[in-house]
Amino acid sequence: QSVLTQPPSVSAAPGQKVTISCSGSSSNIGNNYVSWYQQLPGTAPKLLIYESKKRPSGIPDRFSGSKSGTSATLGITGLQTGDEADYYCGTWDTSLSANYVFGTGTKVTVL
Amino acid sequence: QVQLVESGGGVVQPGRSLRLSCAASGFTFSSYGMHWVRQAPGKGLEWVALIWYDGSNKYYADSVKGRFIISRDNSKNTLYLQMNSLRAEDTAVYYCAREGGPYGGNSDIHYFDFWGQGTLVTVSS
């Protein structure tokens, strides 16, 4: 059972913008950086955002990340059909034992 | 380029053991922390374990603690996951992933900057 909550799905038309929320607590998002991953169907996850708002080389600036308090947000602008995928947030958690936790995952659909 | 290639998956009976391997290339393996992450069929991602760059510290998810052992051989550029007392709920694709944070895993910054293609483990009688 994940400790980070994401909406199950979001959708928008091509060219539009979507945002995905990731809600946690003070033991995880509240005191640690957040990362975001894109998982295209049948493939391994890929890093999109790290340290809450940084993009690895090769990730277009259509993808952005932010964090406030115990929540984080991934934004995707100029939505493309190739963005249809599952998206996961993640961060370190220090509640009972040190471990990494992922969000519940969000399916992005391009209408 | 960074490459991570998992192997060792397969079908195993409940209660038995299995060892996964992850062969790394394209980077200085001994400088990076490494993780195992799994994904049950049709489900989300679940972190399994982390090992520091030098193997001196290891962390486990509560769901596998006491049953799984993460290890590494820096001379062979290989990461391992020894899985004992396997249960049906351990059925998943297992990914190895490189720690993107600083100091080889010895920090509070953790993320996965490169992933392998995954290996499927099915626990069934």
Side-chain angles (χ1 to χ4, degrees), chain B residues 73-114:
Chain B
D73 186 336
N74 285 345
S75 69
K76 295 182 178 179
N77 291 344
T78 302
L79 174 73
Y80 302 100
L81 185 67
Q82 177 67 42
M83 303 186 295
N84 302 319
S85 302
L86 282 162
R87 306 166 179 167
E89 54 264 37
D90 295 319
T91 294
V93 173
Y94 285 74
Y95 297 100
C96 66
R98 193 179 81 168
E99 167 64 70
Y103 313 125
N106 183 11
S107 82
D108 290 334
I109 300 174
H110 299 285
Y111 57 93
F112 317 102
D113 62 353
F114 289 95

Side-chain angles (χ1 to χ4, degrees), chain A residues 28-34 52-53 65-73:
Chain A
N28 42 67
I29 293 178
N31 282 287
N32 291 289
Y33 288 111
V34 177
S52 301
K53 60 181 181 181
S66 64
K67 192 189 93 163
S68 178
T70 58
S71 293
T73 302

Side-chain angles (χ1 to χ4, degrees), chain A residues 20-44:
Chain A
I20 301 171
S21 60
C22 175
S23 178
S25 68
S26 59
S27 67
N28 42 67
I29 293 178
N31 282 287
N32 291 289
Y33 288 111
V34 177
S35 50
W36 289 90
Y37 305 88
Q38 176 194 61
Q39 188 175 31
L40 298 169
T43 69

Side-chain angles (χ1 to χ4, degrees), chain B residues 45-82:
Chain B
L45 300 173
E46 180 186 16
W47 175 80
V48 174
L50 158 66
I51 185 169
W52 282 9
Y53 69 104
D54 60 356
S56 61
N57 275 281
K58 306 171 186 181
Y59 302 86
Y60 298 92
D62 289 342
S63 58
V64 306
K65 201 171 293 182
R67 299 188 300 123
F68 289 12
I69 300 171
I70 188 172
S71 63
R72 64 191 298 158
D73 186 336
N74 285 345
S75 69
K76 295 182 178 179
N77 291 344
T78 302
L79 174 73
Y80 302 100
L81 185 67
Q82 177 67 42

